[in-house]
Amino acid sequence: MAKPRGPEGHPAAMMAGMSLMKYWPLAGLQVRTPQLELRIPGLEDLGALAGLAAEGVHDPAVQPFTAEWTDAEPDERAQRVLRWHWRCWADWQVDTWTLNLVVLQDGELVGISRSVRGTSRSAPR
């Protein structure tokens, strides 16, 4: 029988998060200041990010990114956000990784941080 599911904060969701952190400790990564919180996005966060992307990220006359992921219809932009985060999670290795954090201000999701990448070649020798 499937376990009950619910929104974040629901006991079933909290238990799922605890077991996830047992096998993927990165899921619990958080950095907090009095004004901001940076954390690994949960599924609800990714849904909110996808919604923000669908609404538009920047002035269409200006392309601020080297990868033109925003040059797409709203649903495609949203899906690209999801695929990017899922790809980074799936490709995570000890010696090569990409860290993406959501940014919350006063508990409200306002965006994502710049991606931070690392490889074993980055380590001092």
Side-chain angles (χ1 to χ4, degrees):
M1 185 161 127
K3 291 184 181 179
R5 296 176 191 237
E8 281 186 21
H10 184 276
M14 291 174 16
M15 291 301 291
M18 283 191 272
S19 64
L20 176 63
M21 287 191 306
K22 177 180 178 180
Y23 302 107
W24 191 257
L26 186 65
L29 179 63
Q30 296 178 340
V31 178
R32 291 184 180 176
T33 73
Q35 291 82 29
L36 295 175
E37 178 183 353
L38 304 176
R39 69 177 183 219
I40 296 291
L43 292 177
E44 285 189 15
D45 295 326
L46 290 180
L49 285 175
L52 290 173
E55 292 172 11
V57 177
H58 58 80
D59 178 348
V62 178
Q63 178 52 263
F65 304 111
T66 54
E68 297 178 356
W69 67 272
T70 56
D71 289 348
E73 294 299 315
D75 285 350
E76 177 60 23
R77 278 195 307 269
Q79 291 170 8
R80 287 176 180 181
V81 166
L82 296 173
R83 287 192 306 261
W84 168 250
H85 284 272
W86 292 333
R87 183 178 308 117
C88 291
W89 290 351
D91 291 344
W92 191 281
Q93 300 290 322
V94 171
D95 60 349
T96 182
W97 47 267
T98 301
L99 176 64
N100 299 303
L101 302 170
V102 290
V103 179
L104 294 94
Q105 185 174 24
D106 299 321
E108 181 180 339
L109 190 136
V110 294
I112 60 172
S113 68
R114 277 184 145 319
S115 293
V116 178
R117 294 187 176 120
T119 66
S120 60
R121 294 181 299 271
S122 301
R125 298 187 186 262

